[in-house]
Amino acid sequence: MTLNSVLNQVFKDFEILIINDGSTDDGINKIQEFSTDSRIKYIDQENQGVSAARNKGVSFAKYDYIAFLDGDDEWLPTYLTRMKNAIDMYPNSEMFCSAGLGRNGDGIYTKRQINKLDGKVLPFNFFENPHVFLHIGSTVISRNLFEKVKGFPVGMRRNEDFAFLYSAALFTNPIYSGFPTMVYVGGVAGQATSVNLKENWDLVDDVIKRYDITFRNWLKSGSTNTSFITFMKYELRHGFMVNFIKNEFKTNNYYLDNLNSNILGHLNFLDRLFLKNSYIKILGIAYFKLSKIKWLLNGYQRVK
């Protein structure tokens, strides 16, 4: 279905780079039997993870704009057409995001988009809510921006796409196309997002690394994007609140012990007070929920 969704695009001037990241099944042979389309290139590498696979694909790409699609997601037929239109409208931007749909294991669809931007193509504040705007399969970036961000961070099992796309958004004025043209398929066995972080410290380390990477890129970009800092604090508070509700105090303490001290410096006295004193859990949850109300009143989208 994934490859079919690319081959069925209305826009035809593209190449397809399929990276075999050390797969031991017969997938590549089946794909080769399925299609002899001359636009398809097959690239093998020893298993190094998704970041290395994406970086390898970009290194072989011949075009100036790069689109990504994971093996369990799909594009609707007009995806590349819509993105090409956005590029033509805003040639000075280097990052283009699209609305999308989500489909879970039982086939139910949900929107992955912001209603106020439905049917529009225009610049937008990426950090109003990256959790809605962000999906690797609905984002096109320039090769120049990819190189500026230095590609996907290798070695991360989780949040590598967050680290890359958050960072990319700091170096350009992203454009949003409010037409759902991509389908994210959730509920697939083995997806990194389905793994519980509770005391799974190597995955928590990946999330912490994502914060560190994006914060360093914020500094590198000139530290002018105040929305990024606002969102970073809000996102941290949201995560802390969820851990409070689940009584996962060890996870919150792990963040406090391992996050970059400059990031922690953006948290205020109350953040630290509630995080270090689990016996006032109810007050802590109330405080974090109040911060969510303030966020909404400032025009930002809700983090789910």
Side-chain angles (χ1 to χ4, degrees):
M1 288 297 294
T2 298
L3 181 56
N4 258 332
S5 77
V6 180
L7 294 174
N8 289 335
Q9 290 296 298
V10 174
F11 180 83
K12 301 296 185 183
D13 189 12
F14 59 82
E15 63 176 345
I16 302 172
L17 300 167
I18 298 177
I19 313 302
N20 177 24
D21 185 42
S23 175
T24 57
D25 61 23
D26 197 36
I28 287 294
N29 289 333
K30 289 180 179 178
I31 291 172
Q32 289 173 328
E33 292 172 3
F34 166 75
S35 177
T36 57
D37 194 306
S38 61
R39 294 171 297 179
I40 301 176
K41 298 177 182 177
Y42 304 92
I43 301 167
D44 292 314
Q45 69 173 25
E46 294 183 6
N47 180 253
Q48 300 175 53
V50 63
S51 288
R54 290 170 179 157
N55 292 344
K56 172 77 79 171
V58 174
S59 72
F60 278 86
K62 67 181 182 181
Y63 290 108
D64 290 331
Y65 291 94
I66 312 295
F68 303 92
L69 187 62
D70 290 341
D72 46 12
D73 297 328
E74 303 165 19
W75 286 340
L76 299 182
T78 57
Y79 175 72
L80 291 181
T81 300
R82 292 289 189 187
M83 300 306 265
K84 175 64 164 55
N85 290 342
I87 292 170
D88 290 342
M89 290 174 65
Y90 296 95
N92 292 327
S93 184
E94 297 187 281
M95 181 176 183
F96 302 85
C97 304
S98 170
L101 301 171
R103 187 178 73 226
N104 61 20
D106 55 14
I108 296 176
Y109 283 82
T110 57
K111 285 186 178 181
R112 296 174 59 87
Q113 63 191 101
I114 299 299
N115 291 335
K116 68 181 181 181
L117 298 176
D118 283 0
K120 301 175 182 177
V121 180
L122 71 174
F124 72 109
N125 182 359
F126 180 87
F127 291 103
E128 277 192 7
N129 191 346
H131 293 285
V132 175
F133 294 132
L134 177 150
H135 195 279
I136 194 63
S138 60
T139 304
V140 172
I141 67 160
S142 70
R143 180 191 297 276
N144 179 66
L145 183 59
F146 181 89
E147 293 172 352
K148 188 179 294 184
V149 177
K150 301 187 184 305
F152 292 86
V154 176
M156 294 174 65
R157 292 171 54 205
R158 189 184 183 97
N159 269 208
E160 81 293 330
D161 50 351
F162 281 53
F164 174 74
L165 293 177
Y166 279 26
S167 297
L170 291 168
F171 289 98
T172 189
N173 295 313
I175 304 301
Y176 186 79
S177 177
F179 300 91
T181 51
M182 179 266 178
V183 180
Y184 167 73
V185 182
V188 177
Q191 282 181 322
T193 51
S194 66
V195 179
N196 191 337
L197 290 182
K198 182 179 180 181
E199 296 188 27
N200 199 338
W201 303 125
D202 59 330
L203 294 182
V204 176
D205 283 336
D206 282 347
V207 178
I208 290 172
K209 184 176 181 181
R210 182 258 289 184
Y211 277 106
D212 187 49
I213 289 170
T214 53
F215 186 78
R216 283 190 281 110
N217 276 310
W218 177 72
L219 294 174
K220 183 179 176 182
S221 71
S223 310
T224 58
N225 191 325
T226 57
S227 289
F228 165 72
I229 294 297
T230 301
F231 175 76
M232 181 186 72
K233 292 190 293 184
Y234 178 79
E235 187 187 39
L236 281 169
R237 288 170 180 159
H238 177 78
F240 294 151
M241 182 191 71
V242 171
N243 291 335
F244 261 36
I245 293 171
K246 295 180 178 179
N247 294 316
E248 294 177 8
F249 304 114
K250 282 186 178 180
T251 304
N252 280 347
N253 287 330
Y254 193 84
Y255 276 101
L256 288 175
D257 291 339
N258 292 279
L259 273 170
N260 184 309
S261 60
N262 291 318
I263 294 175
L264 291 175
H266 285 277
L267 298 179
N268 62 33
F269 169 76
L270 288 175
D271 293 322
R272 295 168 181 271
L273 173 67
F274 290 121
L275 286 171
K276 289 181 177 293
N277 296 279
S278 58
Y279 59 87
I280 53 175
K281 166 184 170 180
I282 301 300
L283 287 176
I285 292 173
Y287 164 72
F288 291 128
K289 285 187 175 181
L290 282 173
S291 77
K292 294 167 77 72
I293 293 173
K294 181 180 178 182
W295 172 270
L296 292 171
L297 290 175
N298 285 334
Y300 289 84
Q301 303 298 318
R302 182 168 61 95
V303 173
K304 299 178 181 180

